[in-house]
Amino acid sequence: MTTPRIPGRRFLHSPGPTPLPDAVLHAMSVQPMDLGDPRVDANIDACESGLKRLLHTDASELFLYASNGHGVWEAVIDNLAAPGQALLVPGTGHFSESWAVQAEALGRRVVRTPWREGWPIDAAAVEQALRDDRSHDIQAVLAVHTDTASGVTSDIAALRRAIDDARHPALLVADVVASLAAAPFAMDALGVDVALGASQKGLMCPPGVGFIAVNGKALAVAQRCPAPRFYWDWERRRSDLSYRKFCGTAPQNLLFGLEAALSLIFSEGLEAVWARHARLAGAVQAAVAGWREGGALDFFARDAASRSVSVTTIAVGPGIDVDALRGVARERFQVAIAGGLGPLTGRAFRIGHLGDSNPAVILGALAGVEAALRVLGVPVGGGGVQRAVQFLAAAD
Amino acid sequence: MTTPRIPGRRFLHSPGPTPLPDAVLHAMSVQPMDLGDPRVDANIDACESGLKRLLHTDASELFLYASNGHGVWEAVIDNLAAPGQALLVPGTGHFSESWAVQAEALGRRVVRTPWREGWPIDAAAVEQALRDDRSHDIQAVLAVHTDTASGVTSDIAALRRAIDDARHPALLVADVVASLAAAPFAMDALGVDVALGASQKGLMCPPGVGFIAVNGKALAVAQRCPAPRFYWDWERRRSDLSYRKFCGTAPQNLLFGLEAALSLIFSEGLEAVWARHARLAGAVQAAVAGWREGGALDFFARDAASRSVSVTTIAVGPGIDVDALRGVARERFQVAIAGGLGPLTGRAFRIGHLGDSNPAVILGALAGVEAALRVLGVPVGGGGVQRAVQFLAAAD
Amino acid sequence: MTTPRIPGRRFLHSPGPTPLPDAVLHAMSVQPMDLGDPRVDANIDACESGLKRLLHTDASELFLYASNGHGVWEAVIDNLAAPGQALLVPGTGHFSESWAVQAEALGRRVVRTPWREGWPIDAAAVEQALRDDRSHDIQAVLAVHTDTASGVTSDIAALRRAIDDARHPALLVADVVASLAAAPFAMDALGVDVALGASQKGLMCPPGVGFIAVNGKALAVAQRCPAPRFYWDWERRRSDLSYRKFCGTAPQNLLFGLEAALSLIFSEGLEAVWARHARLAGAVQAAVAGWREGGALDFFARDAASRSVSVTTIAVGPGIDVDALRGVARERFQVAIAGGLGPLTGRAFRIGHLGDSNPAVILGALAGVEAALRVLGVPVGGGGVQRAVQFLAAAD
Amino acid sequence: MTTPRIPGRRFLHSPGPTPLPDAVLHAMSVQPMDLGDPRVDANIDACESGLKRLLHTDASELFLYASNGHGVWEAVIDNLAAPGQALLVPGTGHFSESWAVQAEALGRRVVRTPWREGWPIDAAAVEQALRDDRSHDIQAVLAVHTDTASGVTSDIAALRRAIDDARHPALLVADVVASLAAAPFAMDALGVDVALGASQKGLMCPPGVGFIAVNGKALAVAQRCPAPRFYWDWERRRSDLSYRKFCGTAPQNLLFGLEAALSLIFSEGLEAVWARHARLAGAVQAAVAGWREGGALDFFARDAASRSVSVTTIAVGPGIDVDALRGVARERFQVAIAGGLGPLTGRAFRIGHLGDSNPAVILGALAGVEAALRVLGVPVGGGGVQRAVQFLAAAD
């Protein structure tokens, strides 16, 4: 691309895509391979087993897709519910609603539980909706673990209990796109039947690969599901041949990167990765807590305990132009932040802090945002980045 | 990947994926960007306009997908025919049959014309099948331009004439996955309504991006098509927002590579690219012509004029172990070649010669294959690579 | 290297080597070339002409070396003074003294002017030393423009006037290793006869290339200089053959990077590059001005006007362990800063802010240093990084 | 660089620089590091110990330089002989003569033994010259192991015997620039006192790093040597501080590449690397043996046993334009070969076959050269590349 020169590295604080480590870039920077080359299968094996390890599942098969996250949403829908059957989508905001709309467009009936702005999934409402489904038409509960728009993480264990308490056979499906490799998640222990994710967030890879782990119970449901399907079909992908696993050519270079990224995560240690995310999220929250003393900004997530370690959504008062803020932060201070999505458009901005990050990066991003807020005349209270510095200096 | 060290570069002579130029690798080796970064839209624009230029179409809209080639096959089916409606798939061998099977799995009716081994599409049979479709139930003719398995390129203009002569309203869809940027193709002039391709062949990119150009007539058909769809849906992707264009996150780094690859093609000159492919294919054909004098091998494509400039399929006698040949060529001489697909499994091997290649590469590949043939005791006649040398020395 | 995983990018705030832009990394990531390949000469030409443009000299020849900065120091000594002849080295601190020691080791006589800690070169002392050299034994004045250890930039124009006023024939040699492409420098206009630099600072390249621009007057001196020499010899390198220009093989990949770096500088605009360095240096100085209110730290450079735009040296009180500070900043906050050199060892640390940088990077570095100071219990006054944020928000 | 597009990878068959493996490119494609970063010392340690392992020396210290091969030649001269003292340079052709000229330019006296075109060093002449040096003025015998110009490898063991038989105290210095990591070499066992090399040949790195292993006997000579020196001085570089080891900044990114390259060599296995070079050299020699039947070309090296495994020099008859041949091979067939050097200019061309290579690469190069010979009308006999194919198919 021939664009104006950007000095230094522009900071990427979307909640996805996220920065790529050098090791991922290098792993991707090799020549593709003939499908008969044994390295192709070895790479796919490493991705499958690494993702299962990351998801803490022994009980599942792992399907990889050349697609983004919306693609694997579609795969879940196509494999678990036939047109006319129902899916329950608990409200988390923009992403739950998008998934629901997709299911409806594909001819499935969707049961929603309401979204309360700033709060996680209401497990009681889920339980009630399942109890109300006397005919057990609902095939699965499609739950977004961390909604990237709201920055709220919901309690998956509570959903498991809700399903169990309702004595409903619906599968529990968790979208961990925005939480995997950032927040703790243990598929088997949580009783999650299907978990899906994508490459471009906690996995520190470019967008373009989606994946789904499916346990035996869910596979059995899929086998009985009469929905016509081909590209997304799990059964057709259960093969030792890479060409069948991917319904065509595998996205090789992205998978080379994914293998490298998994290796980085395990070499750092998954507990250490989680702790790092919690620490950096704490720094961001310290800064926001400082800024909100200025009276113009606040956390969107009302419940401190459900604030995501991946992304912080910051609600702004009506006089603040979020697009202008993003423009100043990006073009003048080289910090790219995200805007509000869906109902939050113009009402919030978001700072991503997941993936391959560290204190200096987060502090630089916070300082850049603070500078942009100052340029726009937004009162920033008694210290934002300074509080983040203090928080990190005090953290062990 | 920790694999045994491979000295030097292993030659990649699949008919896809194909070797990546340094400029493509470097374009991919940058950080992803926030969706609000203007560089994201500029990159997508460049890919869209570059692909349209490559396809020689002004009359079409261009849709890009995070998917492989089978994904865009599915998109064509989902947008053009409702379940129960019919599609005509002219026989070209493995790939036409795969597409037909996919359409049937998705609930569409498929009309096939027979495949004659070693020969291109029989346009007369297509015309007859359309004439036989009195109710105009066939929505489109799905034609594979170059069948990667057979190494045969069919005449798209003849298909256009067949449809016109049959006075049938079916759309003409061309799969140019294996031919684009290798053999001449001019979508608008040929009267092609929909053309689809993928990133990993003539486009010199990794697998993971599919694309479809759709003209106004085909868009109108799609708008009337009641098939439920979401990820693949063209209408939903007609947006200025990248997030909608890709039904979620765009596969950014692959698109950065694609922009670079298109730039390389246009800087070389499309006519020069075509001429280079024809010249290198000539060298391969010269070698095969030499080898077949040994009596053990022959061109699979019976008609010299329809031999692909992208890939040469070489039929082998019953005593030759194709897998062993590929193994020796790859492990001992560092030349990766492809095997036979579908009905040609064990009966043929394939040498890809498309994408980012040159005389030295092709000669090295041919010499490596010849060495492997010698190791296996296959008679190679009076000179294979030597004839290729002579051919290239004589070519202007 | 197999080292513990470092999450995110470690910030590099040495005053050299400095961070490498992606375009430089990519330019270096190509295959070397046969010396007969025309691209080799084109690359060398581009480096030579680009460096002359950067130095603002039309009157000079440009010599490139496979060496570091100390190598080109040696080249200057070997070409301009025979053993036994004298060179005048004005005191700037660690680097002037190192150059003087090198000249003495090579058998030259060195005249020094004294260094006053925290202050630039004393031009009056230079003039006096030249006047004292009645026999004109001094061949050249070897002046370090910015001493990387002290963070002080001296006034080259004042040196020119000193030589002229003393009516001494000595050449004026400027070491612009740490200032070029950061602070304004115009060789011809300043009356500098020889200017030397290296690749790893303002030029945003890895270490390994040194260069020297030599005007006609200095070339004539060199031609008369009887010192035996070969690798460093300018006369021998005056050739159109790359093999002679480099006294052997050119350091190709580094030169590919250098060409790319020069192109980045000119595309940003040299004035813009200087302004960016001044602005970022201002941010660092704002932070240091805040920290020193804590009473434990201060600017080493006493004269605000001569504080370098490339590096800031911060003097610390006796109770502060500079090595511990660097360790905490690097290992816990991922900010690498430099220590004190020579007489400043243990008495100062240094923050580099030259090369490929931007506000977010500098703010992150300052915040990381502030966090490390806090960890060590160093009082940091009423806001360091916060003042830098305010400075940058107010800068236009 | 903006040059015309080169499709595919241009084959590099200089005898240096040589192709870079991906792992080396990637190792170089990281950010430089502050000198205080422990990774800097770990990298230098790995380079030092790896090179000593490669040289088969426990008895030596290893010095690394930011320089090319001519630089380390100068280091050897400066450390071992004072101006006025003598060095014996046995004739091997262009490179021995260049080294001798350099020593003379630096004020040393040079004793030469005559070069017999096409033959290795005459050990008997060396012995005689040492016997003639009654006053033991000769400090060292400077022997080029493989002369890159002639493609002839000399017998180092024979030189050791010659020195011993002459009972002369001169040190034995071996330039293994063109042979290391290609042909067997065991410094300690051979009784070599000093061995020097460079990064850009068998070591598969870019040019820019030279190195010298020095045993205790040679270090003692150096300590007594009164020659003034600084950059090249061994004693000054004997330090644990990287800044002293390199007399300034280390060429970091090149050293990152060197560490990776050494790791590749040891993972392949040094015996395997030698065997690979011997096999590929055999293929080249098979092709040349075929070509010379045409009567226009011949091996320059008269003695088959001393033909280098790194480079083959091919003498051409008077009617053949070597520059035109190189131009056609490079521009039309994408194979870069070298010309004749020094007295062989216009009389020979050279095919490099060392470093990161494999059968397909070598066969492609030979085929490309054969095509270029055909274009120029040079008779190529009854099969060049074809014989190389047969040779490699028969080799185990």
Side-chain angles (χ1 to χ4, degrees):
Chain A
M1 279 172 283
T2 47
T3 51
R5 153 126 170 100
I6 295 172
R9 179 181 277 200
R10 179 170 281 180
F11 285 36
L12 177 58
H13 291 273
S14 298
T18 63
L20 308 180
D22 284 349
V24 170
L25 289 170
H26 296 160
M28 286 173 26
S29 289
V30 297
Q31 294 299 315
M33 296 164 197
D34 178 66
L35 301 193
D37 195 310
R39 296 175 296 170
V40 170
D41 286 338
N43 166 243
I44 294 170
D45 283 352
C47 290
E48 289 172 346
S49 61
L51 287 170
K52 288 176 63 177
R53 180 175 166 197
L54 195 58
L55 290 161
H56 290 77
T57 180
D58 291 324
S60 301
E61 291 191 34
L62 199 289
F63 301 100
L64 287 157
Y65 288 85
S67 84
N68 59 25
H70 283 65
V72 288
W73 274 0
E74 187 146 326
V76 164
I77 296 164
D78 267 4
N79 280 283
L80 294 184
Q85 291 184 325
L87 295 161
L88 170 57
V89 182
T92 63
H94 180 66
F95 281 88
S96 65
E97 184 56 24
S98 299
W99 204 356
V101 167
Q102 181 171 10
E104 288 171 336
L106 293 166
R108 275 69 173 182
R109 187 166 69 83
V110 172
V111 178
R112 290 167 171 84
T113 67
W115 174 48
R116 197 169 145 220
E117 276 203 10
W119 296 91
I121 291 172
D122 181 347
V126 170
E127 184 180 335
Q128 188 57 49
L130 291 170
R131 288 187 192 279
D132 294 345
D133 179 43
R134 304 275 167 85
S135 59
H136 289 180
D137 191 38
I138 292 172
Q139 304 298 304
V141 177
L142 309 186
V144 177
H145 186 204
T146 295
D147 191 292
T148 318
S150 68
V152 172
T153 298
S154 292
D155 181 354
I156 298 295
L159 291 179
R160 178 73 265 165
R161 286 193 301 270
I163 297 172
D164 292 346
D165 291 352
R167 299 177 188 268
H168 194 288
L171 298 166
L172 176 55
V173 180
D175 166 342
V176 294
V177 169
S179 59
L180 191 65
F185 180 80
M187 181 175 176
D188 291 355
L190 284 165
V192 169
D193 298 301
V194 176
L196 64 93
S199 50
Q200 80 274 14
K201 296 187 188 258
L203 286 173
M204 313 184 294
C205 285
V209 174
F211 54 89
I212 314 179
V214 184
N215 71 11
K217 186 172 149 200
L219 271 179
V221 170
Q223 281 160 350
R224 290 192 305 268
C225 175
R229 57 199 188 269
F230 195 87
Y231 190 75
W232 307 117
D233 188 25
W234 294 336
E235 201 57 31
R236 212 174 294 269
R237 286 175 176 246
R238 299 179 72 190
S239 166
D240 285 338
L241 298 172
S242 74
Y243 202 74
R244 291 201 186 283
K245 281 186 179 182
F246 285 87
C247 188
T249 309
Q252 291 189 8
N253 294 57
L254 295 179
L255 295 175
F256 303 156
L258 181 55
E259 179 179 347
L262 289 164
S263 172
L264 290 178
I265 288 169
F266 296 127
S267 82
E268 185 176 352
L270 195 45
E271 303 275 340
V273 170
W274 292 339
R276 174 166 55 80
H277 278 82
R279 196 162 52 242
L280 298 181
V284 174
Q285 291 165 9
V288 176
W291 294 336
R292 82 169 149 184
E293 294 186 358
L297 309 174
D298 204 350
F299 290 105
F300 178 75
R302 309 314 312 157
D303 174 26
S306 67
R307 284 178 193 145
S308 163
V309 297
S310 302
V311 55
T312 297
T313 301
I314 297 147
V316 300
I320 297 175
D321 181 341
V322 168
D323 284 344
L325 176 69
R326 293 173 70 197
V328 169
R330 185 179 63 235
E331 301 300 332
R332 190 158 150 193
F333 301 106
Q334 301 298 346
V335 179
I337 53 175
L341 285 183
L344 299 185
T345 304
R347 294 173 46 204
F349 67 92
R350 295 176 295 150
I351 300 176
H353 35 83
L354 82 165
D356 191 45
S357 193
N358 66 38
V361 170
I362 290 294
L363 292 171
L366 293 171
V369 171
E370 186 167 314
L373 289 166
R374 283 183 179 276
V375 167
L376 292 185
V378 179
V380 292
V385 63
Q386 196 165 13
R387 293 209 191 180
V389 168
Q390 289 163 346
F391 174 88
L392 287 172
D396 39 49
Chain B
M1 279 173 283
T2 47
T3 51
R5 152 128 169 98
I6 296 172
R9 179 181 277 199
R10 180 170 281 181
F11 285 35
L12 177 58
H13 291 273
S14 298
T18 64
L20 308 179
D22 284 348
V24 170
L25 289 170
H26 295 160
M28 286 172 25
S29 290
V30 297
Q31 295 300 315
M33 295 164 197
D34 177 67
L35 302 193
D37 195 311
R39 295 174 297 169
V40 170
D41 286 338
N43 166 244
I44 294 170
D45 284 352
C47 289
E48 289 172 348
S49 62
L51 287 170
K52 288 176 64 176
R53 180 175 167 196
L54 196 59
L55 289 161
H56 289 79
T57 181
D58 291 323
S60 301
E61 290 190 35
L62 200 287
F63 301 100
L64 287 156
Y65 288 86
S67 84
N68 60 24
H70 282 65
V72 288
W73 274 1
E74 189 146 322
V76 164
I77 295 165
D78 266 6
N79 280 284
L80 294 183
Q85 290 184 325
L87 295 162
L88 170 58
V89 182
T92 63
H94 179 68
F95 281 87
S96 65
E97 184 56 24
S98 299
W99 204 356
V101 166
Q102 181 171 10
E104 287 171 337
L106 293 167
R108 275 67 174 183
R109 186 166 69 84
V110 172
V111 178
R112 290 166 171 84
T113 67
W115 174 47
R116 198 170 144 217
E117 277 204 8
W119 296 91
I121 291 172
D122 181 346
V126 170
E127 184 178 337
Q128 189 56 49
L130 291 170
R131 287 188 192 278
D132 293 346
D133 177 45
R134 301 275 167 86
S135 60
H136 288 181
D137 191 39
I138 293 171
Q139 303 299 304
V141 177
L142 309 186
V144 178
H145 187 204
T146 294
D147 191 292
T148 318
S150 68
V152 171
T153 298
S154 290
D155 181 354
I156 298 296
L159 292 179
R160 180 72 265 165
R161 287 192 301 271
I163 297 171
D164 292 346
D165 291 352
R167 299 177 188 269
H168 194 288
L171 297 167
L172 176 54
V173 180
D175 165 342
V176 294
V177 169
S179 58
L180 190 66
F185 179 80
M187 181 176 175
D188 290 356
L190 284 166
V192 169
D193 300 301
V194 176
L196 64 93
S199 49
Q200 80 274 15
K201 296 187 188 258
L203 286 173
M204 314 184 293
C205 285
V209 175
F211 54 89
I212 314 179
V214 184
N215 71 10
K217 187 173 148 198
L219 271 179
V221 170
Q223 282 160 348
R224 290 191 307 266
C225 175
R229 57 197 188 270
F230 195 87
Y231 190 74
W232 307 117
D233 188 25
W234 294 337
E235 201 58 29
R236 213 175 293 267
R237 287 174 175 246
R238 298 179 74 189
S239 167
D240 285 338
L241 299 171
S242 73
Y243 202 74
R244 292 201 185 282
K245 280 186 178 183
F246 284 87
C247 189
T249 309
Q252 291 188 10
N253 294 57
L254 296 179
L255 296 175
F256 302 157
L258 180 56
E259 179 179 347
L262 289 163
S263 173
L264 291 178
I265 288 169
F266 296 127
S267 82
E268 184 175 353
L270 194 45
E271 303 275 340
V273 170
W274 293 338
R276 174 166 56 80
H277 278 83
R279 196 162 53 243
L280 298 181
V284 174
Q285 291 165 8
V288 176
W291 294 337
R292 82 167 148 185
E293 292 186 359
L297 309 173
D298 204 350
F299 291 106
F300 177 76
R302 309 315 312 158
D303 174 25
S306 66
R307 283 176 194 147
S308 163
V309 296
S310 302
V311 53
T312 297
T313 301
I314 297 147
V316 301
I320 298 176
D321 181 341
V322 168
D323 283 344
L325 176 68
R326 292 173 71 196
V328 170
R330 185 180 64 235
E331 302 300 331
R332 188 156 150 195
F333 300 107
Q334 301 298 347
V335 179
I337 54 175
L341 285 182
L344 298 185
T345 303
R347 292 174 47 203
F349 67 92
R350 295 176 296 151
I351 301 175
H353 35 82
L354 81 165
D356 191 44
S357 194
N358 67 38
V361 170
I362 290 294
L363 292 171
L366 292 170
V369 171
E370 187 167 314
L373 289 166
R374 282 184 178 276
V375 167
L376 292 186
V378 178
V380 293
V385 63
Q386 195 165 15
R387 291 207 193 182
V389 168
Q390 289 163 347
F391 173 87
L392 287 172
D396 38 50
Chain C
M1 279 171 284
T2 46
T3 51
R5 152 124 170 101
I6 296 171
R9 180 181 277 200
R10 179 170 281 180
F11 284 36
L12 177 58
H13 291 273
S14 299
T18 63
L20 309 179
D22 284 348
V24 170
L25 288 171
H26 295 160
M28 286 172 26
S29 289
V30 297
Q31 294 299 315
M33 295 164 197
D34 178 67
L35 302 193
D37 196 310
R39 295 174 297 170
V40 170
D41 287 338
N43 167 243
I44 295 170
D45 284 352
C47 289
E48 289 172 347
S49 61
L51 286 170
K52 289 176 63 177
R53 181 176 166 197
L54 195 59
L55 290 160
H56 289 77
T57 180
D58 291 324
S60 301
E61 291 191 33
L62 198 289
F63 301 101
L64 287 156
Y65 288 85
S67 84
N68 59 25
H70 282 66
V72 288
W73 273 1
E74 188 146 325
V76 165
I77 296 164
D78 267 5
N79 280 284
L80 293 184
Q85 290 184 325
L87 295 161
L88 170 58
V89 181
T92 63
H94 180 66
F95 281 88
S96 66
E97 184 55 25
S98 299
W99 203 357
V101 166
Q102 180 171 11
E104 287 170 336
L106 293 167
R108 275 68 173 182
R109 185 166 69 82
V110 172
V111 178
R112 289 167 171 84
T113 67
W115 174 49
R116 197 170 146 221
E117 277 203 8
W119 296 91
I121 291 171
D122 180 347
V126 170
E127 184 178 337
Q128 189 56 49
L130 291 170
R131 287 188 193 278
D132 292 347
D133 178 44
R134 303 276 167 83
S135 60
H136 289 180
D137 191 38
I138 293 171
Q139 303 299 303
V141 178
L142 309 186
V144 177
H145 187 204
T146 294
D147 192 292
T148 318
S150 68
V152 171
T153 298
S154 291
D155 181 355
I156 298 295
L159 291 180
R160 179 72 266 165
R161 286 192 301 272
I163 298 171
D164 292 346
D165 291 351
R167 298 177 188 270
H168 194 288
L171 298 166
L172 176 54
V173 180
D175 167 341
V176 294
V177 168
S179 59
L180 190 65
F185 179 80
M187 181 176 177
D188 289 357
L190 284 165
V192 168
D193 299 301
V194 176
L196 64 92
S199 49
Q200 81 274 16
K201 296 186 189 258
L203 286 172
M204 314 184 294
C205 285
V209 175
F211 55 88
I212 313 179
V214 184
N215 72 10
K217 187 173 149 199
L219 270 178
V221 170
Q223 281 161 349
R224 290 191 306 267
C225 174
R229 58 198 187 270
F230 194 86
Y231 189 75
W232 306 117
D233 188 24
W234 295 335
E235 201 59 29
R236 214 175 292 269
R237 287 175 176 245
R238 299 179 73 189
S239 167
D240 285 338
L241 298 172
S242 73
Y243 202 75
R244 293 201 184 282
K245 280 186 179 183
F246 284 86
C247 190
T249 309
Q252 290 188 10
N253 293 57
L254 295 179
L255 296 175
F256 302 156
L258 181 55
E259 179 179 346
L262 289 163
S263 172
L264 290 178
I265 289 168
F266 295 128
S267 82
E268 185 175 353
L270 195 44
E271 303 275 341
V273 170
W274 293 338
R276 174 165 55 81
H277 278 82
R279 196 162 52 243
L280 298 181
V284 174
Q285 291 165 9
V288 176
W291 295 335
R292 82 167 149 185
E293 293 186 357
L297 309 174
D298 204 350
F299 290 105
F300 178 76
R302 310 312 314 155
D303 175 25
S306 67
R307 284 177 194 145
S308 163
V309 296
S310 301
V311 55
T312 297
T313 302
I314 296 147
V316 301
I320 298 177
D321 181 340
V322 167
D323 284 343
L325 176 68
R326 292 174 71 197
V328 169
R330 185 180 64 234
E331 302 299 331
R332 188 156 151 195
F333 301 106
Q334 301 298 347
V335 179
I337 54 176
L341 285 182
L344 299 185
T345 304
R347 293 175 45 206
F349 67 91
R350 295 176 294 151
I351 301 175
H353 35 83
L354 81 166
D356 191 45
S357 193
N358 66 39
V361 170
I362 290 295
L363 292 172
L366 292 170
V369 171
E370 187 168 312
L373 289 166
R374 283 184 178 276
V375 167
L376 292 185
V378 179
V380 292
V385 62
Q386 195 166 15
R387 292 207 192 182
V389 167
Q390 288 163 345
F391 174 87
L392 287 172
D396 39 51
Chain D
M1 279 173 284
T2 47
T3 51
R5 153 127 170 99
I6 295 172
R9 180 181 276 200
R10 180 170 280 181
F11 285 37
L12 176 58
H13 292 273
S14 298
T18 63
L20 308 179
D22 284 348
V24 170
L25 289 170
H26 295 160
M28 286 172 27
S29 289
V30 297
Q31 294 300 315
M33 296 164 197
D34 177 67
L35 302 193
D37 196 310
R39 296 175 296 170
V40 170
D41 286 338
N43 166 242
I44 294 170
D45 284 352
C47 290
E48 289 172 347
S49 62
L51 286 170
K52 288 176 63 176
R53 180 175 167 197
L54 195 59
L55 289 161
H56 289 79
T57 181
D58 291 323
S60 302
E61 290 190 35
L62 200 289
F63 301 100
L64 287 157
Y65 288 85
S67 84
N68 60 24
H70 283 65
V72 287
W73 274 0
E74 189 146 324
V76 164
I77 295 164
D78 267 5
N79 280 284
L80 294 183
Q85 290 183 325
L87 295 162
L88 171 57
V89 182
T92 63
H94 180 66
F95 281 88
S96 66
E97 184 56 23
S98 299
W99 203 357
V101 166
Q102 181 171 9
E104 288 171 336
L106 293 166
R108 276 67 175 183
R109 185 167 69 83
V110 172
V111 179
R112 290 166 171 85
T113 67
W115 174 48
R116 197 169 144 219
E117 276 203 9
W119 296 91
I121 290 171
D122 181 347
V126 171
E127 184 178 337
Q128 189 56 49
L130 291 170
R131 289 187 192 277
D132 293 346
D133 178 44
R134 303 274 168 86
S135 59
H136 288 182
D137 191 38
I138 292 172
Q139 304 299 305
V141 178
L142 309 186
V144 178
H145 187 204
T146 294
D147 192 291
T148 318
S150 68
V152 171
T153 298
S154 291
D155 181 355
I156 298 296
L159 291 180
R160 179 73 265 166
R161 288 192 301 272
I163 297 170
D164 292 345
D165 291 352
R167 299 176 187 270
H168 193 287
L171 298 167
L172 176 55
V173 180
D175 166 342
V176 295
V177 169
S179 59
L180 190 66
F185 179 80
M187 182 177 174
D188 290 356
L190 284 166
V192 169
D193 300 300
V194 176
L196 65 93
S199 50
Q200 80 274 14
K201 296 187 188 259
L203 286 173
M204 314 183 294
C205 286
V209 175
F211 54 89
I212 314 180
V214 184
N215 70 12
K217 187 173 148 199
L219 272 179
V221 170
Q223 281 160 347
R224 291 191 305 268
C225 175
R229 57 198 187 269
F230 195 86
Y231 190 76
W232 307 117
D233 188 25
W234 295 335
E235 202 57 31
R236 212 175 294 269
R237 287 176 175 245
R238 299 179 73 189
S239 166
D240 285 337
L241 298 172
S242 73
Y243 201 75
R244 291 201 185 283
K245 280 186 180 184
F246 284 87
C247 189
T249 310
Q252 291 188 9
N253 293 56
L254 296 179
L255 296 174
F256 303 155
L258 181 55
E259 178 179 347
L262 289 164
S263 173
L264 290 179
I265 288 169
F266 296 128
S267 81
E268 184 175 353
L270 195 44
E271 303 276 339
V273 170
W274 292 339
R276 174 166 56 80
H277 278 83
R279 195 162 54 244
L280 298 181
V284 174
Q285 290 165 8
V288 176
W291 293 337
R292 82 167 149 185
E293 294 185 358
L297 310 173
D298 203 350
F299 290 105
F300 177 76
R302 308 314 312 157
D303 174 26
S306 67
R307 284 176 194 148
S308 163
V309 297
S310 302
V311 54
T312 297
T313 302
I314 297 147
V316 301
I320 297 175
D321 181 341
V322 167
D323 285 343
L325 176 68
R326 292 174 71 197
V328 169
R330 184 180 64 235
E331 302 299 331
R332 190 159 150 193
F333 301 106
Q334 300 298 347
V335 179
I337 53 175
L341 286 182
L344 299 186
T345 304
R347 293 173 47 204
F349 67 92
R350 295 177 295 150
I351 301 175
H353 34 82
L354 82 164
D356 190 44
S357 193
N358 67 38
V361 169
I362 290 294
L363 291 171
L366 292 170
V369 171
E370 186 167 313
L373 289 166
R374 283 184 178 276
V375 167
L376 291 185
V378 178
V380 292
V385 63
Q386 195 166 15
R387 291 208 191 182
V389 168
Q390 289 163 346
F391 174 87
L392 286 173
D396 38 51

